C-alpha cells in the first residue's frame, strides 16, 4: 500500500547569477593580462631571430624583470618612458640598491646599431646588473617548395 502521490520533478531553471559571475571574472582576467602584455607589444621593435631559443619557465616567476627596449634610432625605452643613457644608469643604480640580483631583458631592434646595445650593456655593468637576457624570436620557416 503506497499512499504517497507520485509527483514529477520539474527541471530547475538555469541559474544565471553564477554564469554572470564567471563571465565577469573572465573579462577582468583578460583585461588585466592584456594590460601587462602591452609592456612588450607597445614598441615597434623587431627582435632578431635565433635558431636555439631557451624557453625560461622561471621567467614568469621573476615578476620584477626590467625590459629595456632599444629602437633602431638608439632610443632607450623602459616601461613606456624614453630615457637617456645617464637616466637609465641612475634608474638601474636605484633599482640595484634595493634588489641585488635584478634581471634585465634587452629587446634591441634587429636593424639598430650594435653600439646602442653595447651602451646599454655598459650601463647595466656600471649599475651592477649581470643577470641580462636578450629577447629573440624563432626564425620564420619557409614552406617547402614542391
Amino acid at each position: 500500500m503506497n499512499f504517497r502521490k507520485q509527483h514529477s520533478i520539474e527541471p530547475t531553471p538555469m541559474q544565471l547569477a553564477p554564469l554572470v559571475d564567471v563571465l565577469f571574472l573572465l573579462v577582468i582576467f583578460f583585461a588585466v593580462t592584456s594590460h601587462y602584455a602591452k609592456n612588450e607589444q607597445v614598441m615597434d621593435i623587431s627582435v632578431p631571430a635565433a635558431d636555439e631559443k631557451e624557453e625560461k619557465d622561471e621567467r614568469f616567476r621573476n615578476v620584477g624583470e626590467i625590459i629595456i627596449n632599444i629602437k633602431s634610432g638608439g632610443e632607450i625605452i623602459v616601461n613606456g618612458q624614453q630615457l637617456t643613457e645617464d637616466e637609465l644608469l641612475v634608474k638601474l643604480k636605484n633599482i640595484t640598491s634595493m634588489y641585488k640580483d635584478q634581471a634585465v631583458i634587452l629587446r634591441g631592434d634587429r636593424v639598430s646599431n650594435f653600439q646602442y646595445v653595447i651602451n646599454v650593456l655598459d650601463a647595466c655593468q656600471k649599475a651592477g646588473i649581470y643577470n641580462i637576457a636578450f629577447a629573440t624570436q624563432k626564425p620564420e620557416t619557409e614552406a617547402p617548395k614542391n
Side-chain angles (χ1 to χ4, degrees), residues 33-49:
T33 54
S34 69
H35 173 72
Y36 287 114
K38 284 182 184 178
N39 286 341
E40 290 195 32
Q41 300 299 328
V42 169
M43 308 312 325
D44 54 344
I45 292 177
S46 176
V47 295

Side-chain angles (χ1 to χ4, degrees), residues 2-50:
N2 190 359
F3 293 105
R4 295 184 187 170
K5 293 182 183 180
Q6 296 293 331
H7 293 288
S8 64
I9 299 174
E10 293 181 24
T12 58
M14 187 173 173
Q15 298 287 329
L16 289 180
L19 181 64
V20 171
D21 289 344
V22 169
L23 289 176
F24 277 133
L25 286 174
L26 286 173
V27 167
I28 291 170
F29 171 76
F30 287 119
V32 169
T33 54
S34 69
H35 173 72
Y36 287 114
K38 284 182 184 178
N39 286 341
E40 290 195 32
Q41 300 299 328
V42 169
M43 308 312 325
D44 54 344
I45 292 177
S46 176
V47 295

Side-chain angles (χ1 to χ4, degrees), residues 34-118:
S34 69
H35 173 72
Y36 287 114
K38 284 182 184 178
N39 286 341
E40 290 195 32
Q41 300 299 328
V42 169
M43 308 312 325
D44 54 344
I45 292 177
S46 176
V47 295
D51 290 333
E52 295 294 323
K53 178 181 173 185
E54 179 183 344
E55 297 293 332
K56 292 176 51 178
D57 290 335
E58 67 270 6
R59 175 177 178 211
F60 297 106
R61 286 179 254 161
N62 296 337
V63 179
E65 287 181 335
I66 299 172
I67 299 173
I68 301 175
N69 296 299
I70 305 168
K71 294 180 88 172
S72 59
E75 298 90 5
I76 301 169
I77 312 287
V78 179
N79 290 336
Q81 297 177 343
Q82 185 170 346
L83 303 174
T84 65
E85 292 176 21
D86 295 330
E87 293 171 340
L88 177 67
L89 179 60
V90 169
K91 185 173 195 135
L92 292 176
K93 282 185 179 182
N94 289 337
I95 291 171
T96 55
S97 67
M98 293 183 286
Y99 306 105
K100 297 295 180 197
D101 296 327
Q102 180 62 48
V104 168
I105 297 178
L106 288 181
R107 294 182 68 229
D109 196 277
R110 72 176 63 182
V111 295
S112 66
N113 190 344
F114 191 61
Q115 185 62 46
Y116 301 136
V117 176
I118 295 298

